[in-house]
């Protein structure tokens, strides 16, 4: 992976996002690219920051706490999104560090986030993760409880949910799952859709993604 250049890959991926968006009459500016930097260190991340990229995704609170405070101090405009599952006892730390959380998926976490947001006086953007393929091993709200959960978040905890996030089953064609997530977001009046990874982000963009989460296509393979 020594020859892999995240900066060259960034330009290529942004061009592919723009092409996919225009193909369906969308404005490419409505699609944000989250550079998923999990497992990569500052030496891989800094070139993207220096090239002007500002939006990054991490999947673990502790890992992000280790490497991001210094990077954020050097690049004050950078934004960090949490895309991995979040334990309720880390809600306070997550609210302090992240600008968005894509993995809100259960009442206990909603409660912990509401408390943390109130105490911090700072509210990350919130995405509710949906278990779109109904997979027992995966995180996310079950499809049949989504409407109730959203109502609970909004009225029970006064949380301002702005979108939905999902990871389709690994072994299946993702398009029907992306389409379903888009339909659910529209039904619930949610403007943001976090879907699409390295292997399928163009398809996700064509089906309405506002946030694509791209790791290996940018940084190279993970150990
Ligand atoms: C790691 C990760 C990604 C990025 O995956 P790639 O296939 O490397 O692009 C996207 N979303 C989530 C939730 C992840 O954990």
């Amino acid at each position: 992976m020594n020859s892999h250049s995240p900066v060259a890959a960034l330009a290529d991926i942004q061009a592919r996002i723009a092409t996919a968006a225009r193909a369906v009459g969308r404005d490419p500016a409505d699609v944000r690219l989250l550079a998923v930097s999990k497992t990569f260190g500052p030496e891989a991340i800094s070139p993207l920051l220096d090239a002007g990229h500002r939006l990054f995704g991490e999947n673990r609170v502790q890992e992000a706490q280790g490497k991001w405070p210094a990077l954020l101090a050097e690049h004050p405009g950078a934004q960090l999104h949490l895309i991995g599952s979040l334990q309720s006892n880390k809600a306070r730390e997550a609210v302090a560090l992240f600008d968005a959380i894509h993995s809100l998926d259960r009442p206990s976490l909603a409660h912990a986030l509401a408390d943390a947001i109130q105490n911090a006086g700072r509210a990350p953007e919130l995405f509710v993760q949906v278990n779109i393929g109904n997979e027992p091993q995966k995180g996310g709200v079950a499809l049949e409880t989504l409407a109730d959960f959203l109502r609970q978040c909004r009225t029970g905890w006064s949380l301002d949910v702005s979108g939905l996030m999902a990871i389709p089953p690994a072994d299946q064609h993702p398009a029907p799952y992306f389409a379903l997530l888009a339909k659910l977001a529209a039904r619930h009046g949610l403007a943001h859709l976090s879907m699409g990874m390295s292997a399928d982000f163009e398809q996700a963009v064509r089906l309405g993604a506002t946030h694509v989460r791209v790791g290996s296509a940018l940084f190279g393979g993970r150990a």
Side-chain angles (χ1 to χ4, degrees):
M1 280 300 148
N2 285 340
S3 63
H4 189 88
S5 160
V7 173
L10 177 70
D12 172 62
I13 289 165
Q14 275 172 332
R16 288 164 60 190
I17 288 172
T19 300
R22 289 197 193 96
V24 293
R26 299 185 63 202
D27 182 347
D30 291 339
V31 184
R32 267 157 278 180
L33 169 62
L34 258 82
V36 176
S37 48
K38 64 187 183 193
T39 78
F40 291 94
E43 70 290 347
I45 298 170
S46 290
L48 288 183
L49 286 162
D50 292 339
H53 193 71
R54 286 291 172 268
L55 192 54
F56 292 82
E58 289 282 344
N59 72 332
R60 297 181 58 210
V61 175
Q62 212 170 342
E63 180 185 343
Q65 282 176 321
K67 66 192 187 193
W68 275 97
L71 290 165
L72 291 171
E74 283 169 33
H75 302 275
Q79 291 204 357
L80 203 52
H81 287 204
L82 179 66
I83 60 172
S85 63
L86 176 60
Q87 291 172 272
S88 296
N89 64 11
K90 295 240 171 74
R92 205 152 66 103
E93 292 159 87
V95 165
L97 181 61
F98 291 96
D99 299 290
I101 293 170
H102 292 229
S103 50
L104 171 54
D105 68 352
R106 59 196 188 280
S108 58
L109 180 58
H111 191 173
L113 285 170
D115 283 351
I117 286 167
Q118 184 151 41
N119 287 329
R122 168 181 210 276
E125 190 183 350
L126 297 175
F127 291 74
V128 165
Q129 184 174 350
V130 180
N131 189 350
I132 199 82
N134 195 25
E135 297 173 282
Q137 81 283 9
K138 248 191 202 151
V141 177
L143 285 171
E144 60 273 20
T145 60
L146 178 62
D148 277 346
F149 182 66
L150 284 169
R151 196 174 311 120
Q152 220 178 356
C153 285
R154 287 162 164 165
T155 63
W157 291 294
S158 303
L159 289 173
D160 189 7
V161 175
S162 73
L164 299 180
M165 179 273 222
I167 307 167
D171 53 351
Q172 287 173 46
H173 204 281
Y177 296 100
F178 292 154
L180 176 58
L181 195 71
K183 193 171 97 177
L184 292 169
R187 181 186 300 165
H188 294 291
L190 298 167
H192 289 164
L193 270 177
S194 169
M195 59 188 197
M197 306 179 14
S198 289
D200 53 23
F201 66 87
E202 288 156 297
Q203 198 145 36
V205 168
R206 286 194 293 269
L207 290 166
T210 60
H211 296 67
V212 292
R213 309 179 308 265
V214 178
S216 49
L218 257 178
F219 290 101
R222 287 181 293 271

